[in-house]
Amino acid sequence: EGTSQTLTMMMFAIASISLLVGGIGIMNIMLVSVTERTREIGVRMAVGAKRRHILAQFLIEAMTLSLVGGLLGIVLGILGARATTVVAGWPTIISAESVVVAFLFSLAVGLFFGLYPAQKAARRTGSGSAKALSTTAAANTAAADATARRAKAGAQSAARRSRRQARRRPSMEGVTFLL
């Protein structure tokens, strides 16, 4: 009984550290996502999204990421328990309650560690997003202007070639043919 309790405490410690590391990883991924998606956040706010909509979007993304990791962990845990039973001959019992608790903990980790990035996304002002949009619009306008200038120059060049060719052709005026 003492060995079983020690083993349980050791597994609890390992699981806690794993959840903490996984949560920090989720938070970092979501912070990078918020930074890279400034333009998207600005567009959503410009078309009427409220801060709570942005908050909900990023929280759902963090919880989804965490749940996928949790499901993967549950499947690998079940496979590991089965492998332990087969290889070492140790009987393993996986209760439905432990699977539900693991699933709920992964959900809670996603919610807890996704809250800060989601709040950061919701607090983004439209100014940074508008600046990114105006920079993009200015670049698009400059590219369109350059394309128009190239098209105009090409048309002028074609007209000059046509005039030169017309000057080179001999005139047939005053030439009579003897048949």
Side-chain angles (χ1 to χ4, degrees), residues 63-85:
M63 289 177 5
T64 301
L65 188 62
S66 180
L67 286 177
V68 168
L71 288 174
L72 187 63
I74 289 169
V75 168
L76 290 176
I78 291 171
L79 291 176
R82 299 280 185 233
T84 301
T85 300

Side-chain angles (χ1 to χ4, degrees), residues 1 9 20-21 42 65 119 121 150 156 158-159:
E1 188 174 306
M9 292 303 289
L20 180 67
V21 170
L65 188 62
Q119 286 177 336
R150 281 193 300 272
Q156 289 171 344

Side-chain angles (χ1 to χ4, degrees), residues 44-115:
R44 289 199 62 208
M45 287 182 144
V47 296
K50 297 197 177 1
R51 289 181 182 217
R52 62 187 161 99
H53 298 133
I54 305 295
L55 180 78
Q57 174 188 348
F58 280 90
L59 271 179
I60 289 169
E61 287 178 20
M63 289 177 5
T64 301
L65 188 62
S66 180
L67 286 177
V68 168
L71 288 174
L72 187 63
I74 289 169
V75 168
L76 290 176
I78 291 171
L79 291 176
R82 299 280 185 233
T84 301
T85 300
V86 170
V87 173
W90 298 344
T92 55
I93 300 171
I94 301 169
S95 65
E97 293 89 17
S98 64
V99 172
V100 170
V101 167
F103 188 76
L104 292 175
F105 259 97
S106 68
L107 182 67
V109 165
L111 180 64
F112 181 76
F113 285 98
L115 194 58

